[in-house]
């Protein structure tokens, strides 16, 4: 199976809705379209507050990010993500595509055998340009 993991973003809509619709940034919109273009078996959102989120799950706006957390807290968050991923996927067999910044993926990749990070090494503006090139309007 192919599983896409996409990180949350800071800009969100003001009311509760499906997770895939909550995140309201150009980066997330293009990232979501890119994730769908891969025709994966599953897409999950990496939420700083809620952990691993099914895109159809209803959640409300929140203000939480891993970017302000220390490494120990990020490790704890990642352990929770991996626990749920292990129940929903095969960490040793499935192929993962990770569309997320370094802090969101740092402690995940060591437990996942087969993964790609297509935008590895790109800064946020470069990521957006990369995504725009790959997502038809």
């Amino acid at each position: 199976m192919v599983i896409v993991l996409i990180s949350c973003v800071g800009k969100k809509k003001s009311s509760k809705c499906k997770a895939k619709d909550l995140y309201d940034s150009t980066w997330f919109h293009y990232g979501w379209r890119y994730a769908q273009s891969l025709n994966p078996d599953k897409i999950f959102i990496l939420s700083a507050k809620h952990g691993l989120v099914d895109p159809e799950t209803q959640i409300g706006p929140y203000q939480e990010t891993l970017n302000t957390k220390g490494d120990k807290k990020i490790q704890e968050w990642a352990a929770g993500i991996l626990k749920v991923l292990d129940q929903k996927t095969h960490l040793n067999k499935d192929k993962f595509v990770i569309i997320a910044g370094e802090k969101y993926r740092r402690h995940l990749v060591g437990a996942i055998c087969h993964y790609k990070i297509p935008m590895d090494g790109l800064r946020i503006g470069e990521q957006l340009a990369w995504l725009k090139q790959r997502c038809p309007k």
Side-chain angles (χ1 to χ4, degrees):
M1 288 194 347
V2 175
I3 314 295
V4 177
L5 304 176
I6 183 171
S7 68
C8 64
V9 295
K11 189 174 178 190
K12 298 167 189 73
K13 292 185 177 164
S14 59
S15 59
K16 188 175 185 177
C17 58
K18 290 180 181 180
K20 68 181 182 181
D21 300 322
L22 179 68
Y23 304 101
D24 199 20
S25 75
T26 304
W27 184 94
F28 188 84
H29 292 300
Y30 276 102
W32 182 257
R33 286 176 46 204
Y34 174 70
Q36 289 180 306
S37 77
L38 300 174
N39 296 314
D41 297 287
K42 295 180 184 177
I43 302 174
F44 293 109
I45 298 169
L46 301 171
S47 165
K49 179 174 182 160
H50 301 288
L52 190 74
V53 178
D54 182 292
E56 298 296 321
T57 299
Q58 295 267 336
I59 59 175
Y62 61 91
Q63 294 302 317
E64 194 163 335
T65 178
L66 295 187
N67 293 327
T68 58
K69 296 191 183 302
D71 197 56
K72 184 172 171 78
K73 289 287 185 193
I74 295 172
Q75 283 178 335
E76 292 169 3
W77 172 86
I81 295 281
L82 290 168
K83 183 177 180 181
V84 177
L85 264 182
D86 193 38
Q87 296 167 358
K88 297 179 179 282
T89 68
H90 296 283
L91 295 175
N92 295 328
K93 294 179 184 176
D94 292 340
K95 295 177 179 156
F96 290 82
V97 179
I98 304 172
I99 306 169
E102 193 271 335
K103 286 192 178 186
Y104 282 77
R105 66 176 190 257
R106 159 187 340 168
H107 297 295
L108 300 177
V109 295
I112 298 171
C113 290
H114 309 286
Y115 65 88
K116 283 184 1 183
I117 304 168
M119 298 184 295
D120 193 20
L122 299 181
R123 292 178 288 201
I124 194 76
E126 295 167 331
Q127 290 176 19
L128 186 55
W130 188 94
L131 289 166
K132 283 181 176 181
Q133 288 176 346
R134 285 153 183 84
C135 295
K137 290 195 176 201

